[in-house]
Amino acid sequence: MHDDLAASRETMVERQLIARGIAEPCILNAMRRVPREAFLSADLRAWAYADAALPIEAGQTITQPFMVARMLQAARLKPEDRVLEIGTGSGYAAAVLAEMVARVDTIERHPQLAESAMDRLRALGYHNVKVHTGDGTLGLLACAPFDAIVATASGPGVPPAWSAQLEIGGRIVMPVGPDPDHQRLIRLTRDSSTTYHEEMLDLVRFVPLIGAQGWGDMGGR
Ligand code: SAH
């Protein structure tokens, strides 16, 4: 089983990432190292390298492998970067980030998701990731500024708190838009203390970003 999954992981890197234009060795190697099966419930482990988002606790999803790679590519990460991830979920994307950059802070609004992600990341030996519980639409002032902020949930627009907590030259990558079925993946780059520019990258589909600078509470989703 373990060897089968290792082989499936390599096939995922070749067919889902390299074949679709992910060429950065740092991303490919990070995704070769992180066992996605460790972030899934036992009954879903056999599907760990399927080309899909999969359900996790609290009605949320673990992001499709290609989309994790695409977002990290869009964030133009460097090894010395400090990164804030919004929407820890299973902890999978945080682990991939931890393989690539110096320091990762990740924040999750569902306490039980944050707790199990923390346990998994600790068990796998990631010491450069800190999991926080709370409303990530407010960013994480205590740990700011960040070289990159990556959100794996989609909001109505870039929360002002994130733009303010971004280093000059820093990048925000997030899905934006009101339609639950598809959103625009955008990159906002901070050019100076007062100026930013935004690029539209792809059409994507993510769960909603719920919070003070996101969507309102949607009945506990
Ligand atoms: N990166 C995750 C994807 C999880 S799905 C993974 O690899 O598994 C997105 C997550 O964003 C969900 O767990 C959801 O609960 C969380 N989320 C939504 N709004 C949030 C907010 N305001 N602050 C923190 N987390 C939020």
Side-chain angles (χ1 to χ4, degrees), residues 96-156:
V96 178
L97 274 167
E99 294 277 359
M100 296 178 58
V101 300
R103 163 88 203 169
V104 181
D105 287 284
T106 178
I107 181 160
E108 170 56 55
R109 67 186 284 269
H110 283 291
Q112 80 270 33
L113 285 176
E115 204 167 305
S116 42
M118 208 180 303
D119 291 345
R120 290 174 184 134
L121 290 163
R122 193 184 302 125
L124 289 167
Y126 290 106
H127 298 299
N128 58 339
V129 188
K130 184 146 191 238
V131 181
H132 307 259
T133 304
D135 178 5
T137 67
L138 303 174
L140 196 62
L141 195 54
C143 302
F146 302 98
D147 300 296
I149 300 177
V150 176
T152 58
S154 65

Side-chain angles (χ1 to χ4, degrees), residues 173-190:
V173 174
M174 75 174 291
V176 171
D179 190 326
D181 292 327
H182 47 87
Q183 303 99 33
R184 293 175 297 124
L185 183 69
I186 60 136
R187 173 173 54 219
L188 185 77
T189 305
R190 184 168 199 173

Side-chain angles (χ1 to χ4, degrees), residues 39 56-58 60-63 68 85-94 106-110 113 132 134-138 152-153 162 206-212 214 221:
F39 296 86
I56 57 172
E57 300 90 336
Q60 305 303 316
T61 54
I62 180 172
T63 308
V68 173
E85 181 200 24
I86 318 292
T88 315
S90 66
Y92 174 67
T106 178
I107 181 160
E108 170 56 55
R109 67 186 284 269
H110 283 291
L113 285 176
H132 307 259
D135 178 5
T137 67
L138 303 174
T152 58
W162 300 359
F206 279 88
V207 297
L209 178 72
I210 297 165
R221 243 214 286 179

